[in-house]
Amino acid sequence: MKTPPLLLGCALLFWGWQSDLLWVGAVMGALVEAARIVKQRWEFTDEEFRRIVMFCELAGLAALLYAFSANDGPASFGGLVEDQTLGAQKKAGNATVATALAVIRWLPMVFFLFVVAQAYSTRPEVPVAVGSLVQWRRRQAAWREGKRLPPGRTFNAGWPYFGVCLGAASMHSGGASGYFWGFVVLMAWALWTVRPHRFHALIWVVALGVAATAGFFGQQGILQLQSILGGMSAKWMGQLMDRGRFDPTRTKTAIGEVGRISQSGGIVLRLEIPPGLSPPPLLREASYDNYRITWWSVSPTNREFADGNVETNLTSWVRIPNKRCASSVRIANYLPGRRGVLPLPSGCGRIDHLDVDSVKLNGLGTTWAEGPGLVIYDARFAPGATADAPANSTEDLRVPDEETNSLDSVIGEMSLAGLDDAHKLAAVRSLFATKFTYILWQREPRRMTNYTHLGRFLMATRSGHCEYFATATTLMLRRLGIPARYAVGYVVHEESGADKYVVRYRDAHAWCLVWNAAAQRWEDFDTTPGTRNALEAERKSPFEFFSDAWSRAWFEFSKFRWGQSHIRQYILWALLPVLAFLLWQIVWRARRGRKKSAAESAREWPGRDSEFYRLEKPLAEFIGARRGDETLAIWLARAAAEPALRDTSVDLREILRLHYAYRFDPQGLSAPEREALRQRTTECLRALPAARNLRGGTPSNEQTTGWTSI
């Protein structure tokens, strides 16, 4: 049964509207509905329909792979293998869900070629077997063995495709109201054409209205319940599972967490240094000036992001005007969700070859970019001025009251009276280097104390990871009257070939920024002991080689995918003639090789190998061709009435009965009946020459040289 006129076109238009692909849906709908106007048709065989189905399946597989890669699927699952945390699990789950939603949204485009092929074919329906690999293989095997198959079931692809369009449209990102009423209208239109006529139309309309009303209020109730549950769980879910997402205005440190600090060995950044130069020791992502017991955040004064200065070529961004930068480093950085912060060396004054949509900076030097999923840029830097706002006597000297006692006690261990800022910094550095140790493991305190987590680090354990050292240093310097800030980023130390370096997740680091009042600039001040890199290296996984190989392959693919390699353009252009040739082979190629062997013809046309067809020409030469008003049975009855054949044992009526059963009966003939058809036909062929000689060889009407099919 065909779909009603314009239904598929409107369904595609509705899908395009909901999926933000309106013009695509409009073009697809117009092509499908144009089949009702265009009279040109193509005769597709089952084999060609099967090829079209295979093409759609390959397109679906390509869509799946593209969606999986576009939603950071490989990176998410690669990180899950190495880091079995809730954050990694959530990231992998989000990638899976986003991939599924994208593929479902693209299904109308995936199967569009099959629907168009049916719309413009001479057949109103296509065999079910062309869409089922199992049934198709069974048919192929039966054909090879010469078995007769009963006529297969057929279907019109319009109705399943209509359902696909509605399902794909449900994966919209906007409000549900427009989708709901569009769904109701299209479903009412489709159901009206197949409604049972034993009920009055008014009853049908009322029933549909009741169902639509119940569905609308049910949908509203579900949305309200979802909103309530989402509001109740947003806070604890964010704290529990969102550790992996970077917030440029706030960071939760690992201070106070017990157990081993876990970071994977996955590669997060790739660096390339010009020959003869050294890499920057630190790459800063963000800095913070407000501490609230294990939390660092950006004060309202410096929180707002402002647009960066961009040059006319739209790929060079100036962070510090008029600064001369002699050093540079090329950084390859992923932007999850096409947005994120840019790790930059201290004193970076300019970023070149950064092809993004926008760059924003806040007062603490954090650079936020929105663009492709992978950016490769040149960061030009030099000692001296930074993009940070000058020291603020209020924010950059603030110390929480809960931490003052511990800080004052540690400061009392040092003899700082009368020392200038430079000597105070040297004393603080010496204190952490000689009396503190770097560890990754934090034990649960044996008993309750009045100390905060940071106070316990300063007064009791004196061992911790970089976040302890950076936080303690920042607050200690503030207590000494020196403005300081907390910075996060990465340590650069691992070489990866000539003039190349890699930065891993475990290279994440925190340190202190100190204000140099004489030079009026911020400078890096890292007090974490030098044993850090050695301890981090001990966490190397034995499977890191495989992880690095996959990371490299993914990086090369990402360069191609996000336009960072010129080969992408060449490949895309090269694919166009390949796809055109493939479509020509499937749909519009010339009808060559149509002549088939008798066995192949028999497989396509059950009963075509019947021996009865061997009788048609000899009988036409004997009694004349069939007249226009003669059925086959009447024609054979006329032949059987000939005296020359009447006296023989030939039974033409029995031959015709067996032929009809073999040709049209789904059950076919049994083996004895099939043999009887062969023998009786052979006997008739042997009797015809003698009968023709007896009659004198003159047919009773006009002779024919061809044979007539049934």
Side-chain angles (χ1 to χ4, degrees):
M1 181 177 61
K2 291 185 176 181
T3 56
L6 300 180
L7 179 64
L8 278 185
C10 291
L12 283 167
L13 197 63
F14 175 67
W15 161 78
W17 169 44
Q18 292 294 313
S19 302
D20 296 327
L21 297 170
L22 183 59
W23 69 271
V24 177
V27 172
M28 292 167 60
L31 288 175
V32 171
E33 295 300 336
R36 303 181 184 275
I37 302 174
V38 178
K39 301 303 181 182
Q40 179 68 32
R41 292 293 183 269
W42 287 267
E43 183 181 354
F44 296 115
T45 63
D46 292 354
E47 178 67 26
E48 288 169 330
F49 269 118
R50 178 58 191 165
R51 291 179 183 175
I52 295 174
V53 170
M54 291 179 63
F55 181 85
C56 295
E57 292 171 349
L58 291 175
L61 178 60
L64 175 63
L65 295 176
Y66 180 81
F68 187 61
S69 63
N71 292 284
D72 297 324
S76 301
F77 281 87
L80 182 61
V81 173
E82 295 187 356
D83 188 7
Q84 303 271 336
T85 61
L86 289 175
Q89 294 175 23
K90 181 186 177 184
K91 191 174 182 181
N94 290 341
T96 302
V97 172
T99 298
L101 294 179
V103 171
I104 295 175
R105 189 181 298 117
W106 297 338
L107 284 180
M109 293 187 291
V110 171
F111 293 104
F112 180 69
L113 182 61
F114 179 73
V115 174
V116 168
Q118 180 193 271
Y120 287 91
S121 70
T122 56
R123 305 160 66 177
E125 295 183 340
V126 296
V128 175
V130 302
S132 171
L133 181 60
V134 175
Q135 292 190 30
W136 184 259
R137 287 184 174 179
R138 287 177 179 175
R139 291 191 60 171
Q140 293 282 62
W143 288 348
R144 286 192 295 268
E145 296 173 4
K147 296 180 180 179
R148 292 184 66 254
L149 292 177
R153 298 179 59 183
T154 60
F155 75 105
N156 186 290
W159 288 110
Y161 190 71
F162 173 74
V164 167
C165 292
L166 294 185
S170 67
M171 303 301 162
H172 57 274
S173 58
S177 179
Y179 171 78
F180 177 80
W181 293 115
F183 177 85
V184 169
V185 170
L186 290 173
M187 285 300 298
W189 185 358
L191 292 174
W192 175 262
T193 62
V194 295
R195 73 187 188 282
H197 292 281
R198 64 177 181 272
F199 298 106
H200 195 276
L202 181 60
I203 297 177
W204 186 90
V205 172
V206 171
L208 180 65
V210 171
T213 303
F216 176 77
F217 287 106
Q219 171 195 247
Q220 295 299 316
I222 292 175
L223 291 176
Q224 291 179 6
L225 179 62
Q226 182 181 5
S227 176
I228 294 173
L229 294 177
M232 293 174 58
S233 62
K235 182 177 180 179
W236 69 269
M237 283 292 290
Q239 295 179 359
L240 183 65
M241 303 182 69
D242 236 7
R243 287 284 309 279
R245 183 171 297 178
F246 188 86
D247 186 349
T249 62
R250 185 178 64 174
T251 180
K252 181 180 180 182
T253 68
I255 293 177
E257 294 191 6
V258 297
R260 181 172 295 277
I261 304 302
S262 176
Q263 290 281 359
S264 74
I267 297 175
V268 62
L269 298 174
R270 294 179 183 273
L271 281 65
E272 186 174 352
I273 312 299
L277 297 181
S278 300
L282 297 172
L283 293 176
R284 195 208 317 174
E285 283 193 322
S287 57
Y288 306 90
D289 58 357
N290 188 27
Y291 183 69
R292 287 291 183 272
I293 310 303
T294 75
W295 285 88
W296 279 99
S297 62
V298 179
S299 62
T301 305
N302 298 310
R303 186 169 298 170
E304 295 297 326
F305 280 86
D307 292 333
N309 297 322
V310 59
E311 290 191 347
T312 54
N313 60 4
L314 301 180
T315 60
S316 294
W317 304 81
V318 179
R319 299 178 79 245
I320 306 175
N322 302 320
K323 180 176 182 179
R324 298 177 62 86
C325 300
S327 300
S328 69
V329 55
R330 175 161 295 178
I331 303 174
N333 178 39
Y334 294 99
L335 297 180
R338 302 188 181 187
R339 56 175 56 187
V341 296
L342 300 180
L344 297 170
S346 178
C348 178
R350 176 190 178 100
I351 307 174
D352 289 334
H353 307 117
L354 180 61
D355 190 5
V356 294
D357 299 329
S358 65
V359 170
K360 297 180 181 296
L361 286 80
N362 70 1
L364 300 186
T366 301
T367 303
W368 179 267
E370 297 183 5
L374 173 68
V375 290
I376 301 177
Y377 52 92
D378 293 330
R380 305 193 180 278
F381 62 100
T386 64
D388 306 82
N392 184 305
S393 59
T394 302
E395 301 295 341
D396 297 322
L397 291 175
R398 179 181 298 170
V399 177
D401 294 337
E402 299 86 350
E403 309 292 356
T404 56
N405 291 335
S406 300
L407 293 169
D408 290 343
S409 178
V410 175
I411 291 174
E413 299 179 18
M414 299 178 288
S415 299
L416 302 179
L419 297 181
D420 58 12
D421 289 351
H423 287 87
K424 291 179 181 179
L425 293 177
V428 171
R429 186 187 297 275
S430 176
L431 172 73
F432 284 113
T434 58
K435 297 184 179 182
F436 287 76
T437 58
Y438 180 87
I439 62 171
L440 298 172
W441 179 268
Q442 291 294 317
R443 295 184 178 88
E444 184 75 27
R446 296 180 180 179
R447 56 188 177 86
M448 297 298 294
T449 66
N450 293 327
Y451 291 130
T452 64
H453 295 297
L454 183 63
R456 181 170 171 266
F457 165 72
L458 292 171
M459 302 299 298
T461 65
R462 297 212 165 184
S463 59
H465 49 81
C466 61
E467 291 172 293
Y468 281 95
F469 285 93
T471 301
T473 303
T474 302
L475 298 182
M476 189 179 298
L477 293 180
R478 289 182 175 186
R479 194 66 177 162
L480 292 172
I482 302 174
R485 292 173 180 173
Y486 178 88
V488 296
Y490 298 95
V491 175
V492 180
H493 65 93
E494 184 178 346
E495 296 186 21
S496 178
D499 301 320
K500 294 182 179 179
Y501 291 79
V502 294
V503 175
R504 304 181 185 274
Y505 284 104
R506 64 169 176 258
D507 293 324
H509 190 48
W511 64 95
C512 173
L513 295 177
V514 62
W515 178 250
N516 187 331
Q520 291 292 297
R521 68 190 184 200
W522 291 96
E523 296 176 350
D524 293 329
F525 186 64
D526 188 4
T527 59
T528 302
T531 57
R532 176 195 181 281
N533 290 343
L535 290 175
E536 294 288 345
E538 294 177 359
R539 301 158 61 190
K540 181 177 180 180
S541 168
F543 302 103
E544 197 166 271
F545 172 80
F546 299 100
S547 173
D548 289 353
W550 168 254
S551 177
R552 183 66 192 186
W554 178 248
F555 175 66
E556 295 299 332
F557 172 75
S558 298
K559 287 171 60 179
F560 161 75
R561 172 187 166 196
W562 297 111
Q564 301 290 347
S565 174
H566 295 299
I567 192 174
R568 179 184 182 186
Q569 302 176 5
Y570 302 140
I571 292 178
L572 289 177
W573 281 107
L575 282 177
L576 293 178
V578 173
L579 291 175
F581 177 76
L582 182 59
L583 289 176
W584 176 78
Q585 284 287 324
I586 293 175
V587 183
W588 291 285
R589 64 175 181 157
R591 292 292 203 239
R592 297 176 180 175
R594 285 296 188 181
K595 296 181 179 179
K596 301 179 180 180
S597 63
E600 291 174 340
S601 300
R603 295 171 195 155
E604 295 180 1
W605 184 359
R608 187 164 184 177
D609 59 339
S610 173
E611 288 76 11
F612 175 79
Y613 295 120
R614 297 167 56 191
L615 287 176
E616 286 189 311
K617 184 176 180 180
L619 281 175
E621 294 175 351
F622 180 64
I623 64 171
R626 286 169 54 187
R627 294 190 293 268
D629 58 345
E630 277 186 321
T631 63
L632 185 59
I634 295 176
W635 183 58
L636 291 179
R638 178 157 60 85
E642 289 288 335
L645 284 177
R646 190 171 50 198
D647 297 336
T648 65
S649 59
V650 175
D651 189 349
L652 291 175
R653 293 184 179 84
E654 179 64 13
I655 293 175
L656 181 61
R657 184 192 71 79
L658 292 172
H659 169 71
Y660 275 159
Y662 186 48
R663 175 70 179 87
F664 300 108
D665 190 345
Q667 302 299 324
L669 296 178
S670 63
E673 290 175 329
R674 184 72 179 87
E675 183 61 29
L677 177 60
R678 293 192 185 96
Q679 292 180 358
R680 292 179 181 274
T681 304
T682 302
E683 293 174 0
C684 184
L685 289 172
R686 291 174 180 173
L688 279 176
R692 187 163 45 245
N693 293 334
L694 184 62
R695 291 185 68 247
T698 304
S700 59
N701 62 355
E702 184 181 359
Q703 296 184 4
T704 181
T705 59
W707 53 274
T708 306
S709 62
I710 299 173

